[in-house]
Amino acid sequence: MCKSCVITTEEPNWWLTPPAEASCFIGGIEQEPSAERANGWDREPVVATAELVTAATAHLARQSGPTLVRFADPAGLADWVASLLLRDRLLRPERPLGLATGRTMEPVYAALARQVNDLPPAKRQELRKRWCSFNLDAYVGLDRADPRSFAAEMASRLTTPLGLDPERVHLPDGQAADPHAAAECYAAQLAATGGIGLQLLGLGLNGHVGFNEPPCEADASCRCLELSPATRHQNAEAFGGNPEAVPGRAISLGLREILAAERLLLVVTGEAKAEVLARALREPPTPELPASWIQLHPRALVVADGAAASLLDASRDQGESLA
Ligand code: GLP
C-alpha cells in the first residue's frame, strides 16, 4: 500500500520543501519519509545504456519511484516550481539548467520573473552572471524571430523579463541547413558543460517529454525527429489551430541527455494529462510512453495540480502503489 505524507518545513533539504498546503506522496514502498528517501538527491545520476535500463527496470519493483508533490492551487504550484528554478541557479550554478516550453510552463516563467524582480539588485546581477540554460527542443524550419518558435517564446517569457544575456539561453538551432548536424552540435555543446543539473520537463498528451515521441528508447540521444500527428494537433493552437501548419520536424534532447541530468522536475497540470501521468508513473517503463522512463531516475520529482494528479489520488484511495 502506498504511504502518503506531508513533508514539513522542517525538511532539511530546501529542494524538497513544498509549502504546507501541498501534499507529498512517496510512491511505491511503504516506509517512513526521511530526508534521504524523500529527496534521494544524494544518489548518482543515471547514465542511460541498454544494460542499465534492463537492470534498472528489473529493480523497479523494489524501488519507490518518483516523488509526487500535488498542489490544489495552480498559482501555488507555479510559484513553488519557479522558486526551485531560482534556487537552482543561485545555489547550483555549476551545471546548466534544462528548460522546457509549452503552456504548462507559462505561469512558471511568469512567477520566476516576479521572483527575480523581487530579488535584491546584487542577487539579480549574480543570477544574470551565473545563468546558463539549455532548452529541450526547437521546431525545425522556424526562424528564431518567428513568434511561434521556442526561441521567441523563451525570449519573451524568460530572457527579456529576467534581463538575461541571450548568449546564456541556449536552444537547438532549428533554422540550420542541416538539422541533424545541428542536433549533434547541440548535444556536443551541452556535453562540454558537463550535462544538465536540474531538468524541467513538461508532459505531452501522448507521453512525450521534450519532443521524444513514442516509441522512444531510454538511450535515444539528441536528434532531429519527426513529430507525430498527435503532437502537431496538441500544439496547433500557436499555429492558428491548424495541425498541418505545425512544423513536421524538431530537434530534441533525447532521453539519454534527460536521464543523465542530476535532477528531474516534471510539471503536469490539467485534467487532460491525468491519464497519461498516471500511466507514466504506474506502468512499467516502456518506449511507448517516453515519460515513463523517468521512473528509472533516482532523483525525479513530479509536481502536479489536483486535476492532473486525480487518477493517482484514486489509486491511493484504492490502496495501490503509485510507482
Ligand atoms: C510540447 C513540448 C514539450 C512540452 C510538452 C507539453 O510539445 N515539446 O517540451 O513540455 O509538449 O506542452 P504543454 O505544456 O503545452 O501541454
Side-chain angles (χ1 to χ4, degrees):
M1 183 183 293
C2 175
K3 182 107 179 166
S4 66
C5 65
V6 174
I7 303 291
T8 71
T9 48
E10 274 118 52
E11 168 64 57
N13 188 318
W14 60 264
W15 219 96
L16 197 66
T17 307
E21 65 270 22
S23 308
C24 183
F25 300 103
I26 311 299
I29 296 174
E30 185 165 0
Q31 58 186 317
E32 285 307 310
S34 69
E36 185 187 335
R37 175 51 221 133
N39 58 56
W41 297 142
D42 57 338
R43 284 183 274 163
E44 287 301 309
V46 170
V47 177
T49 62
E51 296 72 27
L52 180 80
V53 168
T54 308
T57 304
H59 281 288
L60 267 180
R62 297 197 295 278
Q63 294 188 347
S64 52
T67 297
L68 171 71
V69 175
R70 187 196 62 182
F71 281 80
D73 166 30
L77 180 151
D79 273 338
W80 190 59
V81 171
S83 73
L84 296 182
L85 301 183
L86 183 54
R87 289 179 191 204
D88 175 78
R89 279 309 78 198
L90 289 172
L91 301 177
R92 294 175 168 270
E94 301 80 18
R95 290 234 209 161
L97 175 63
L99 292 177
T101 47
R103 281 153 292 191
T104 311
M105 303 307 165
E106 291 175 11
V108 171
Y109 292 132
L112 182 61
R114 284 194 298 274
Q115 291 177 21
V116 169
N117 197 42
D118 287 345
L119 286 176
K123 271 278 172 226
R124 209 157 47 226
Q125 279 312 325
E126 188 186 322
L127 177 85
R128 289 171 180 155
K129 217 168 94 189
R130 290 179 168 190
W131 190 275
C132 180
S133 59
F134 278 75
N135 264 72
L136 280 168
D137 45 23
Y139 289 119
V140 167
L142 285 190
D143 190 281
R144 287 181 72 87
D146 187 315
R148 302 165 304 180
S149 72
F150 291 168
E153 190 176 326
M154 294 311 291
S156 67
R157 296 192 190 283
L158 184 90
T159 315
T160 303
L162 270 61
L164 301 175
D165 177 353
E167 299 283 313
R168 294 180 165 272
V169 181
H170 304 273
L171 287 103
D173 181 3
Q175 291 170 270
D178 181 349
H180 299 281
E184 279 181 31
C185 178
Y186 193 60
Q189 204 184 356
L190 174 59
T193 69
I196 298 288
L198 170 63
Q199 177 65 61
L200 180 66
L201 295 169
L203 178 63
L205 281 173
N206 65 353
H208 72 219
V209 284
F211 267 135
N212 290 281
E213 301 279 44
C216 179
E217 299 291 342
D219 59 355
S221 52
C222 183
R223 66 209 180 283
C224 172
L225 42 77
E226 300 280 324
L227 294 179
S228 68
T231 292
R232 295 175 77 192
H233 190 266
Q234 184 190 338
N235 289 3
E237 192 183 304
F239 296 83
N242 177 14
E244 294 296 315
V246 178
R249 292 189 299 166
I251 296 171
S252 178
L253 292 184
L255 263 302
R256 178 186 290 270
E257 289 85 10
I258 292 170
L259 293 178
E262 287 178 327
R263 300 172 177 76
L264 300 183
L265 175 56
L266 175 67
V267 183
V268 191
T269 56
E271 196 183 350
K273 304 262 179 84
E275 188 184 340
V276 68
L277 177 61
R279 288 182 54 218
L281 297 186
R282 291 168 65 196
E283 293 183 4
T286 167
E288 302 308 320
L289 198 61
S292 64
W293 292 122
I294 75 160
Q295 293 178 39
L296 303 187
H297 200 285
R299 292 177 262 192
L301 182 63
V302 180
V303 184
D305 66 4
S310 58
L311 296 178
L312 293 167
D313 289 347
S315 72
R316 178 177 60 110
D317 293 342
Q318 290 155 20
E320 293 174 14
S321 160
L322 291 182

